[in-house]
Amino acid sequence: MTTEFDLGTLLAERGAERYELHGKYLNHQLPRMLHTIGFDKFYDRGEGAHFWDADGNDYLDMLAGFGVMGLGRHHPVVRKALHDVLDAQLADLTRFDCQPLPGLLAEKLLAHSPHLDRVFFGNSGTEAVETALKFARYATGRPRVLYCDHAFHGLTTGSLSVNGESGFRDGFAPLLPDTPVPLGDLDALAAELAKGDVAALIVEPIQGKGVHEAPPGYLRAAQELLHRHKALLVVDEVQTGLGRTGDFYAYQHEDGVEPDLVCVAKALSGGYVPVGATLGKDWIFKKVYSSMDRVLVHSASFGSNAQAMAAGLAVLAVMENEQIVANARLTGELLKSRLAALTDTYELLADVRGRGLMIGIEFGRPRSLKLRSRWTMLQAARKGLFAQMVVVPLLQRHRILTQVSGDHLEVIKLIPPLVIGEAEVDRFVEAFTAVMDEAHSGGGLMWDFGRTLVKQAVANR
């Protein structure tokens, strides 16, 4: 007797239990947090840069699943590639053959960084970073990797060792013996390199936490310093890569930068299949895989699986055929310029920064006495509450999903799908302006919600 599995029936019968199921069997704090800030929506369908709730309301996605939905949700080309690869019934993951799709995807990926030669495929951004850490240590024979203050490179133990945020690290020590340096501080970098035990520096060209860009000339100068001391430059493009910043990789905005290892993930599969990639120079890979005895010295059970590889090939084809990188650059410039123009109007709006469709909106201490007293109250309770006060009405009243750019930061990060256009820019700027108008009026539901957040923050101390 065959028992059929019907996913549609299961979701119809049990889908409404989603928050209860998560609270009982997964991370119990997530539904609690979502209930507190009013984000406990029932999203049923997504397409492109939009999704819809159970009542058919349209939401604009300015978060892209933390960047994985580079082409938006359910791009037809990527979706078809996945159907095709499943229908092909390939002899996938035998582990003792060489399938064509990984080689074809590596070839396409490396075409965008001609100075690199080889690729290792894993399953996530944090795995891509772990691979880079291992390869850098083995290739140089040195133990220590430098990273930047406030960096985010992942949450597994190795990548956590190069995570610059103490909130993620607390309670998980001892970690690897790695060392932070300030982003942009060449003197601090040189001082650490002089100790002679540094394998590499890992850096995000634009840090996801707070959307802070490396200063002009820093990456190239750091590369020269590192190579002088026989250490490697590792660039983490997990969030900034594949067109996000208006170039294929963010490091390419600076002439002469040729990293030794580059980490890629998130948008590579169009949001469908977990995938990560570590691109590197030939000599590094040949040193790690130095003999047939070491052929499996670094591997991943699901690495290079057919679904991920097919999705990756489809994503790169779409990026080329639909000029995704150019759209990210032009639409990003439009969005950033329109938001930057508001800084003279709103005293709570301190800065607008970023590149392409990776934009940070920072709020700061206002000048007027009335607003300053409210700002001070929020800051005393918990830094970052005002940014949360902006994110919530953007969703609740304007159906636009955004995020605060990090714990205790008064910064909203915009990383929408790279397919958005002028209509989505208009919708976001209009909604953001309405929220800013209410915040500067000094009253209304927004500040009432602020008091709720203050009580919650004080209760959690």
Side-chain angles (χ1 to χ4, degrees):
M1 179 178 174
T2 303
T3 302
E4 291 188 359
F5 171 71
D6 188 323
L7 181 62
T9 299
L10 179 63
L11 288 174
E13 292 175 350
R14 305 287 305 278
E17 302 173 41
R18 61 190 73 187
Y19 285 92
E20 290 79 6
L21 289 167
H22 203 109
K24 185 173 182 179
Y25 299 116
L26 300 168
N27 180 350
H28 63 290
Q29 294 290 6
L30 177 61
R32 182 183 174 208
M33 181 269 288
L34 294 173
H35 289 314
T36 299
I37 64 174
F39 270 41
D40 49 343
K41 305 292 184 182
F42 280 53
Y43 301 118
D44 281 359
R45 183 172 66 87
E47 183 178 343
H50 300 263
F51 38 85
W52 289 263
D53 64 18
D55 297 321
N57 295 309
D58 159 51
Y59 291 76
L60 174 60
D61 180 15
M62 298 295 281
L63 181 57
F66 296 141
V68 302
M69 302 292 179
L71 300 182
R73 283 170 171 76
H74 305 300
H75 193 286
V77 174
V78 185
R79 184 172 176 169
K80 181 180 183 300
L82 285 167
H83 281 287
D84 289 347
V85 77
L86 289 171
D87 290 343
Q89 294 185 302
L90 299 176
D92 194 25
L93 299 180
T94 68
R95 309 319 317 188
F96 286 97
D97 74 339
C98 292
Q99 288 286 312
L101 293 180
L104 291 169
L105 179 56
E107 181 181 63
K108 281 283 190 183
L109 205 49
L110 289 166
H112 293 280
S113 49
H115 73 284
L116 298 175
D117 309 292
R118 296 182 182 273
V119 182
F120 175 86
F121 287 113
N123 305 290
S124 66
T126 196
E127 274 193 44
V129 169
E130 294 279 1
T131 299
L133 297 179
K134 287 180 68 176
F135 281 29
R137 284 187 161 100
Y138 195 86
T140 62
R142 296 173 177 177
R144 201 157 55 103
V145 174
L146 306 178
Y147 62 96
C148 294
D149 292 335
H150 309 299
F152 184 90
H153 297 292
L155 298 176
T156 52
T157 303
S159 59
L160 188 62
S161 301
V162 291
N163 190 315
E165 291 290 333
S166 60
F168 289 112
R169 298 166 62 98
D170 290 349
F172 296 106
L175 299 171
L176 299 176
D178 298 321
T179 307
V181 293
L183 179 67
D185 191 333
L186 292 169
D187 290 337
L189 175 61
E192 293 298 332
L193 289 170
K195 297 175 183 177
D197 64 343
V198 171
L201 166 71
I202 184 167
V203 60
E204 301 158 280
I206 304 177
Q207 290 186 331
K209 297 298 177 185
V211 192
H212 292 290
E213 188 171 0
Y218 173 72
L219 292 178
R220 184 170 57 187
Q223 175 179 276
E224 292 171 0
L225 265 175
L226 288 157
H227 289 175
R228 197 180 310 152
H229 289 270
K230 302 190 185 309
L232 307 182
L233 175 63
V234 180
V235 173
D236 181 345
E237 294 269 6
V238 168
Q239 189 163 104
T240 54
L242 276 73
R244 168 62 56 191
T245 67
D247 221 327
F248 194 87
Y249 292 119
Y251 75 78
Q252 293 171 337
H253 291 291
E254 188 174 321
D255 291 337
V257 179
E258 295 189 346
D260 301 288
L261 293 161
V262 174
C263 302
V264 181
K266 287 193 182 290
L268 183 56
S269 80
Y272 274 106
V273 187
V275 65
T278 306
L279 289 63
K281 293 182 176 177
D282 185 66
W283 73 268
I284 298 173
F285 274 67
K286 284 185 174 175
K287 198 156 188 178
V288 172
Y289 300 110
S290 57
S291 68
M292 285 191 288
D293 289 342
R294 292 180 57 80
V295 70
L296 295 177
V297 71
H298 186 73
S299 58
S301 295
F302 278 93
S304 300
N305 71 82
Q307 288 83 7
M309 300 298 98
L313 284 163
V315 165
L316 295 183
V318 170
M319 290 186 67
E320 183 177 344
N321 295 336
E322 299 184 13
Q323 298 184 320
I324 296 297
V325 178
N327 183 69
R329 181 167 59 250
L330 293 173
T331 306
E333 287 172 359
L334 175 64
L335 178 56
K336 182 181 171 184
S337 64
R338 290 190 59 185
L339 290 170
L342 300 176
T343 55
D344 292 333
T345 304
Y346 300 114
E347 58 181 295
L348 283 160
L349 184 56
D351 189 28
V352 177
R353 56 179 176 265
R355 278 186 183 267
L357 285 171
M358 184 174 184
I359 295 173
I361 304 171
E362 183 167 7
F363 306 101
R365 189 171 184 265
R367 299 179 300 276
S368 61
L369 182 60
K370 184 177 181 181
L371 288 176
R372 199 162 64 231
S373 63
R374 295 181 179 221
W375 175 267
T376 302
M377 173 194 70
L378 292 172
Q379 297 295 296
R382 191 176 192 275
K383 192 174 180 183
L385 290 188
F386 182 80
Q388 192 65 60
M389 282 171 53
V390 175
V391 163
V392 169
L394 281 173
L395 182 70
Q396 297 283 44
R397 296 182 207 169
H398 303 280
R399 300 197 303 273
I400 298 176
L401 183 62
T402 57
Q403 70 167 133
V404 178
S405 181
D407 202 25
H408 299 286
L409 291 182
E410 295 290 5
V411 181
I412 291 175
K413 180 168 64 175
L414 306 180
I415 47 170
L418 306 184
V419 296
I420 68 164
E422 190 172 350
E424 286 80 13
V425 170
D426 289 344
R427 178 172 171 179
F428 180 81
V429 173
E430 182 180 336
F432 182 75
T433 301
V435 173
M436 286 291 95
D437 282 341
E438 184 181 350
H440 286 75
S441 72
L445 295 174
M446 186 173 174
W447 288 101
D448 290 341
F449 178 68
R451 283 189 283 273
T452 300
L453 288 179
V454 167
K455 292 176 183 176
Q456 187 72 32
V458 171
N460 284 336
R461 283 181 174 175

